[in-house]
Amino acid sequence: MKDLIPPSVLRIHDTLEKNNFEAYFVGGSVRNIILNLPVKDWDLTTNATPEQILKLFPDGYYNNDFGTVGIPLDEKTIVEVTTYRTEEGFSNKRHPDKVSWGKTIQEDLSRRDFTINAIAMKWSMVNGKSSMVFVDPYDGQTDIKNKIIRTVGTPSERFKEDALRLLRAIRFATVLSFDIDDATGKELVEDAPLIQQISFERIRDELLKILASENPSKGILLLKD
């Protein structure tokens, strides 16, 4: 699996660790590596603050409230490195009202949307050999194996925090040819009206990804239901 990570991306992970910070690959990159699918976007998370990240990567930039530093590799590729964080309040049903830096990878994973996206991965040396280490508190690897879309924690809380997740659940089920688990699917129907609080632009982006999948009819049927 390590061979699937470009050396330039792996160097970011290694630089953080060599400077005594924790570093994990997270999100879609880990999910796609497990599924042996191409990775378009590389995301890492760390206990380093944005200021500490920028000291290690002077070409990086930081202009947001969510602890994400963009590190350009070339004109087209940017690796996002985000500080562990916790989130509170979602009054606009999209972004947290308050973001605090977290202390552990477990804290950071607890705020993520679906179990298949709440897996962290890192590389460590054991007896002179590199080995892969997963942090998977919500059993996302099992859900990937069983082809299931399931929220992290209570579906009601996850969808009411960020209503775009309603469409993301359908998009992941469509693009990956997964099924939505019963509890998540039931809440999806219950909370469907919340999508009215999301901008048309973000809705459009998710719809286009569904329509561009290999099986768009599945997505259309899920949207109808």
Side-chain angles (χ1 to χ4, degrees), residues 42-45 61 68-71 78-82:
W42 294 96
D43 298 293
L44 290 96
T45 188
Y61 59 90
T68 299
V69 174
I71 301 174
I78 296 174
V79 176
E80 293 191 342
V81 182
T82 303

Side-chain angles (χ1 to χ4, degrees), residues 17 19 27-28 31-33 36 57 60 77 86-87 130-131 147 154 157 160 164 169 176 180 215 219-221:
E17 292 225 316
N19 284 274
R31 180 194 69 237
N32 281 20
I33 284 175
N36 198 28
F57 305 97
T77 308
T86 59
E87 301 171 339
S130 63
S131 64
K147 298 186 175 183
T154 306
E157 292 181 7
K160 287 180 174 62
L164 188 64
L176 298 174
I180 299 174
N215 187 18
I220 296 300
L221 289 173

Side-chain angles (χ1 to χ4, degrees), residues 170 174 207 210-211 215-225:
I170 292 173
T174 304
L207 288 175
I210 291 170
L211 294 174
N215 187 18
S217 61
K218 175 176 181 175
I220 296 300
L221 289 173
L222 286 171
L223 289 168
K224 177 185 73 68
D225 292 342

